[in-house]
Amino acid sequence: MTTSVSLRMDSELKRQAEELFSDLGLNMTTAMTMFLRQAVRTQGIPFGLSRIPNAETLEAIEEGRRIARDPNVKGYRTREEILEALRS
C-alpha cells in the first residue's frame, strides 16, 4: 500500500534537487523514499547535524567582534539614526 505526501519547499531548491536526482537516475519520490528508509533504519536523520558553525560563519563572527571592539567604528542607538546615516 502507498500513500501520498505533500511537501512545501523553495521552488529553486526543488528544481536543483530534481536535476541532481535525475543525474543520479532517480526521481523525487525515490530519493525521498531512500531518505525516509535510511532515517527509519538509523532511527535518526541520516546525515550529520551540527550547531558548530562552518569556517565562513566563524570568520564572519570574528569580524563582527572586531568591529564591535573597534572604538573608531560609528555606532547607532536607534533605527532612525541608522536610516539617517544611510540617507546622508
Side-chain angles (χ1 to χ4, degrees), residues 7-41:
L7 300 171
R8 296 184 72 66
M9 69 177 70
D10 178 81
S11 58
E12 180 59 16
L13 173 61
K14 180 179 183 255
R15 186 198 65 73
Q16 290 174 354
E18 286 175 331
E19 183 179 321
L20 169 65
F21 299 148
S22 177
D23 288 349
L24 296 171
L26 305 169
N27 60 32
M28 184 72 78
T29 298
T30 303
M32 291 303 298
T33 299
M34 292 170 66
F35 170 82
L36 294 171
R37 286 188 185 278
Q38 188 65 12
V40 169
R41 183 177 295 118

Side-chain angles (χ1 to χ4, degrees), residues 15-83:
R15 186 198 65 73
Q16 290 174 354
E18 286 175 331
E19 183 179 321
L20 169 65
F21 299 148
S22 177
D23 288 349
L24 296 171
L26 305 169
N27 60 32
M28 184 72 78
T29 298
T30 303
M32 291 303 298
T33 299
M34 292 170 66
F35 170 82
L36 294 171
R37 286 188 185 278
Q38 188 65 12
V40 169
R41 183 177 295 118
T42 62
Q43 292 297 291
I45 302 296
F47 49 81
L49 294 176
S50 175
R51 291 183 65 186
I52 300 171
N54 63 24
E56 183 179 0
T57 302
L58 287 172
E59 189 176 313
I61 290 169
E62 185 52 38
E63 180 183 8
R65 288 179 177 153
R66 279 192 307 273
I67 290 169
R69 289 189 302 260
D70 187 341
N72 298 315
V73 173
K74 170 86 169 116
Y76 304 95
R77 295 191 181 275
T78 67
R79 181 174 65 99
E80 288 73 23
E81 287 181 12
I82 295 170
L83 292 173

